[in-house]
Amino acid sequence: MLTKEEMPACPVATTVQLIGSKWKLLIIRNLMQRPWRFNELRRDLAGISQKVLTDSLRSMEEDGIITRTVYPEVPPRVEYALSELGKSMRPIIEAMAEWGRNYKARCAGRV
């Protein structure tokens, strides 16, 4: 998690710092549905590299937004899910989805 000193003074900037990348937002969107395994996320997020997905998941886990559960199986199974903090972002993501739908409908009306 970020320390108080590492956080920007502006609350919007803090949010952007935590989830502002395209990939982090799409990972959160997926994890709002259910827990996902790494390769499921990689397949679903067309264009994401393994390194970017790994880095994004690690960063969000460190920030307390997601949880990583390793199941003691052979081979090991790892699932990623939203933490309670991550779940609190649902209204933000839903508002973004609604805005996007409205924007697309508006653009479609200009044809």
Side-chain angles (χ1 to χ4, degrees):
M1 278 194 172
L2 294 174
T3 65
K4 188 174 181 179
E5 294 77 31
E6 294 172 320
M7 289 184 208
C10 172
V12 174
T14 299
T15 305
V16 169
Q17 184 172 339
L18 291 170
I19 64 165
S21 80
K22 163 187 167 181
W23 296 116
K24 286 182 179 181
L25 287 169
L26 295 177
I27 291 167
I28 292 169
R29 176 205 63 193
N30 282 21
L31 295 179
M32 283 175 48
Q33 300 168 14
R34 62 177 172 81
W36 289 62
R37 294 175 72 172
F38 183 89
N39 284 328
E40 289 180 306
L41 285 168
R42 197 175 57 153
R43 280 190 299 271
D44 192 70
L45 301 172
I48 193 169
S49 70
Q50 183 168 335
K51 180 183 181 343
V52 170
L53 179 56
T54 298
D55 291 348
S56 297
L57 290 169
R58 282 184 184 153
S59 172
M60 289 192 294
E61 184 181 9
E62 287 173 10
D63 292 332
I65 296 168
I66 66 169
T67 60
R68 178 179 183 266
T69 304
V70 180
Y71 293 92
E73 302 172 355
V74 177
R77 177 171 51 108
V78 178
E79 286 186 345
Y80 297 90
L82 289 177
S83 66
E84 288 305 312
L85 179 62
K87 289 176 185 174
S88 72
M89 292 183 189
R90 181 175 291 278
I92 298 167
I93 305 301
E94 288 175 347
M96 291 174 74
E98 181 63 22
W99 189 91
R101 280 190 290 276
N102 290 337
Y103 180 79
K104 288 171 78 171
R106 184 177 185 175
C107 289
R110 286 193 231 161
V111 177

